[in-house]
Amino acid sequence: MSKAKNFSVVGKRVQRVEGFDKVTGDSKFIADIHLPGMLTGRILRSPYPHARIRSIDTSKAEKLRGVRAVVTAEDTIKRPWGAFFADQYILSVGKTRYVGEEVAAVAAIDPDIAEEALDLIEVDWEPLPGVFDADEAMLDGAPLVHDDKPNNIAMHLDLERGNIVQAFADSDIIVEDTFTSMPQWHCAIETIGSVAEYSPNGKYTIYMNTQTLFNARYRIATALGVPETDVRVIQSAVGGGFGGKSCDDNNALVCAVLARKAGKPVRVINTREEEFLAGCRPRVFMKINVKLGFKKDGRIRAKELKVIADNGAYSAKAPAITGVAAMRHDTCYKYSDVKLEAKLIYTNKIPTGAFRGFGNPSAEWAVEQAIDLGAHALGIDPLEIARINAAETGYVSPHGNRVTSCELKQCLDMVENMIDWKAKRANKQPNTGMGLACTVHVSGKRHFGDYDGSSATIKINEDGKALILSGEGECGQGVHTAMCQIAAEELGVPVEDVEISRADTDLTTFCLGAFASRLTYVSGNAVKNAATNVKQQLYEQAAEMLEANAADLISRDGRIFVQGAEGKSVTVADVARARLFRHNGAPIVGSGSFDADSVLPDSTRFGNESGAYNYGVQAAQVHVDPLTGQVKVLQMVVASDCGTVIYPIGAEGQVEGGLAQGIGYALTEGLQFDEGRPLNPNFSDYRIPSMRDMPPLQHAFADSYEPTGPFGAKGLGELNMDPTAAVINNAIFDAVGVRVKTLPITPEKILRALKEKKG
Amino acid sequence: MKKQLNLNVNGQDYEVEVEANRLLLQVLRDTLDLTGTKEGCSIGVCGACSVILDGRLVSSCLTLAAGCEGKKIETIEGLAKDGKLHPLQQAFIEYGGFQCGICTPGQIMAAKSLLDENPKPSEEEVKEWMSGNLCRCTGYYKILESVMAVVDGKTDPNYAFRKRETTAKIQSLDVYKSVAKTSSD
């Protein structure tokens, strides 16, 4: 029997609420916001990976005609800030620690003057020796990125669940290898930007293209040393987020400081080069040593992971990301005994941070290849190994993650059928191979205090339409449409009768924003609860009008009636107006909150990080040209378990878009550094996939229902970024018998491996 | 040095005075306030700034405005006529050919320039042509589907965006009638 349920709005191919504005070019992105008298801000960035600043002379820049403000750290309170560790400043205080770090900034009446003024700022630099490799950075005597961090260690995790020595002793075979992942840039087609205004009464109003408004407000208030109420963050349309616009950078802060000093609105938008140098915080580079012990029948008996993660110069969210890389995957298969050691290391490179997958792509790149190694060592089909070990509903991971719904085995069946796994493997062609990998992700993550919730308000307008006020972060993924569907379903109105506001910290209630694949699940539940509240108010008024009991009423398609007596009804519009336009009238407005039933991990990282877990499987067939090393992905198939699919067009888009980023991560995306200096910070040298790079794809959603989700839904956004690199590399191994162990998997590396194999 | 320019954008003539080194992208966005054309990479790689210049697709971030004297420029703002979307715009909504929408004006202009020249391209021709327009959100499958829907005539002939035309009728008159009724009761 199907687990899915029938709904009137949920699961329908509705149109994106912002559709009209997006296709007409009318959406107001950050570069489209223009305030009267607005100045252009530009940032002076460090040319050195590590240097002391002896002095800064801004007098010449200040005198340039058209310049309205020049700022340095002296214009700030020099209070360090950061998502998990307070280790960065708005503008360099005494020292810079990576190429691109913000040193000073200028606001001028036009961009050319601002640029010219940057050249007039005189900095007396004393270059210092830098450290660019995490392994070298840990050595005694290595230059210190931060004087108070011995051996450049930002974080050290060392955990064991069960008895790892015994578990490896019990294993029939053991496989072990080391896999290195590379940083990956978000490459949202819109770069990070802000428009800030400062009122002399002390209030900052900042337009930002951020995916996490309230976190932005908190960090801005902290770094500026003002109460949160004095900072209003208004979200512009966001041209792609992927974690890169979650406010770990200094763009909005510099903009705010310039606006205060200039007394005029200021706009600061990163150029594409700045975005690579110091804008979004790229995916954390990791070297992962993985060791797995298997029983002869294919069961995983022991797992040991050693992670060395390159933090870059400041921490952003890398401490949490490193933890995820070390632990999240233990929710994918049924593990008993695991050990992990993870070190996060400061280097003089761009700070790393949140990118779709949050540590999971690096981990799955390593662990899903180790599973494949195990399958080959045991002579068991990799798909069977996955099936033998797959997590199921009710599974509790060694770290306490409680799985309330899991269709991983169903996803394996789906993938097996879609790609015709057995037949293709049986009929293997030369230089052609098949690979697969499983994936798990969260639907929210409890790590901002002991809270992983959301809230929403819904008001019914005089025309009967509902407006959701939400502070959550639509960043292009389409979650606002899903939220409108959830509200429409609960209220019993057509989805066209539900609108949603953009987020604004002064007007909407506290929301954490878009990260950890949380919005459909967490904010969806909050919206549903707000709609339940509003529906109750509608029913009370309607009961009066229909001379019935509120408890007997139901609503459908914008009308409210007594169940079983549809002839006599009132519209939501009638009800809203009757409630408002009368003596003692009041608008119908209601709020709802939700906080997931998860458990904040304790000091040993034991807890239950999320309210629900999403699962998936990807498989690929590839062809490798042994003469050129070129990889052609012939076909990919994907099965995803995200519970109920609320908004199919959006959900499919998340799968397809995640996969594209996974393919880029696997095959082409890499930034070369020379002594901490990026050599190819642009779109012609850092190559993201284009339309012709995408393989034929078939994908489907599992029949699934998450009991704690809104109408059975759970998260999806990151799931299909996570396993793709491992899937492709497993297929390459099947095709030609070599395994490249560092990302990206370039033709040169494949050729080298083929050559080594030949000897 | 400033320069006088006559530009024809979406059928309308404009006389502007701009610095000689200004790019078409800057003049469209900053001088004419046509902000539908977007800047993505500034080096002519990503296609977000695509516009049609005398029938040819160009990157407006690489095109000097001064070279456009007397030429016909088409931008995203010129596509919808009298509130009715161009078939490509409609298809992008119906088939989900965008997520964040920042590259969408460029994608649609690129597709338009192809279909203006060849209304029946093959899927392979569309893929090849559209590979100059980067998108980081969609993975391109739904962009391709949207363009092919126009090629194959699969868009909805009775299309209305979120039924605005029908719901718009409810409007305020009805509300105030209701007020009048309530107060006269």
Side-chain angles (χ1 to χ4, degrees), chain A residues 14-18 22 213 235-238 468-488 495 498-504 508 519-520 523 527 646-647, chain B residues 162:
Chain A
V14 303
Q15 295 176 20
R16 182 76 179 268
V17 288
E18 312 92 337
K22 298 283 187 192
L213 277 85
Q235 191 191 38
S236 66
V238 180
I468 305 169
L469 296 165
S470 165
E472 292 293 7
E474 169 65 57
C475 55
Q477 77 281 52
V479 70
H480 273 185
T481 305
M483 287 159 81
C484 288
Q485 285 178 274
I486 287 167
V495 70
V498 183
E499 302 256 319
I500 186 161
S501 70
R502 284 213 78 83
D504 177 333
T508 51
L519 291 185
T520 300
S523 79
V527 165
I646 303 277
Y647 167 41
Chain B
R162 297 193 91 221

Side-chain angles (χ1 to χ4, degrees), chain A residues 13-29 31-32 111-112 184-191 237-242 267 271-272 355-356 462-463 465 474-478 484 494-499 573-574 577-578 581-582 636 648-650 652-654 656-661 663-664 669 682-684 686 688-697 699, chain B residues 19 21-22 26 29-30 33-43 45-48 76-80 83-86 88-105 107-108 123-124 126-145 147 156 159-164 167-168 170-172 174-176 178-179 182-183:
Chain A
R13 296 188 82 80
V14 303
Q15 295 176 20
R16 182 76 179 268
V17 288
E18 312 92 337
F20 198 91
D21 296 343
K22 298 283 187 192
V23 301
T24 54
D26 211 34
S27 265
K28 296 286 178 267
F29 293 93
D32 306 328
D112 293 344
Q184 182 183 26
W185 271 257
H186 309 74
C187 298
I189 305 298
E190 183 202 39
T191 60
V238 180
F242 320 120
R267 176 163 82 193
T271 62
R272 180 58 59 187
F355 188 161
R356 191 183 214 158
E462 303 90 285
D463 59 6
K465 291 200 175 199
E474 169 65 57
C475 55
Q477 77 281 52
C484 288
V495 70
E496 291 80 7
D497 284 1
V498 183
E499 302 256 319
D574 292 337
R577 289 197 291 264
F581 294 109
R582 70 172 196 193
M636 285 207 74
I649 290 177
E652 290 158 13
Q654 287 305 301
E656 294 162 6
L659 182 75
Q661 293 179 351
I663 288 174
E669 295 181 34
N682 60 66
F683 273 174
S684 47
Y686 183 95
I688 65 172
S690 72
M691 193 182 276
R692 66 178 157 219
D693 298 320
M694 296 306 294
L697 168 68
H699 71 88
Chain B
E19 290 291 335
N21 65 356
R22 285 295 111 144
Q26 295 167 327
R29 288 184 54 86
D30 304 338
D33 232 5
L34 294 169
T35 55
T37 305
K38 306 298 180 189
E39 181 165 16
C41 69
S42 320
I43 56 169
V45 172
C46 77
I76 190 72
E77 286 89 349
L79 261 59
K84 194 172 155 45
L85 296 175
H86 184 280
L88 278 165
Q89 292 174 311
Q90 178 189 326
F92 269 65
I93 301 179
E94 277 189 79
Y95 292 86
F98 64 88
Q99 284 182 31
C100 80
I102 191 87
C103 73
T104 311
Q107 301 280 358
I108 290 176
E123 199 172 285
E124 279 312 303
V126 173
K127 275 191 197 170
E128 201 56 36
W129 182 266
M130 298 295 293
S131 284
N133 287 76
L134 297 179
C135 168
R136 192 57 154 169
C137 295
T138 62
Y140 304 99
Y141 295 99
K142 291 193 185 314
I143 297 177
L144 180 62
E145 208 184 334
V147 178
D156 177 2
Y159 178 80
F161 178 69
R162 297 193 91 221
K163 291 190 198 156
R164 272 189 189 285
T167 51
I170 306 176
Q171 288 303 319
S172 53
D174 196 24
V175 172
Y176 292 111
S178 157
V179 175
T182 312
S183 53

Side-chain angles (χ1 to χ4, degrees), chain A residues 251-281:
Chain A
N251 180 287
L253 287 162
V254 173
C255 194
V257 173
L258 282 171
R260 188 186 61 211
K261 191 157 183 188
K264 291 277 182 199
V266 176
R267 176 163 82 193
V268 180
I269 296 179
N270 288 348
T271 62
R272 180 58 59 187
E273 184 178 343
E274 285 178 296
E275 191 84 342
F276 276 106
L277 288 179
C280 55
R281 302 315 197 202

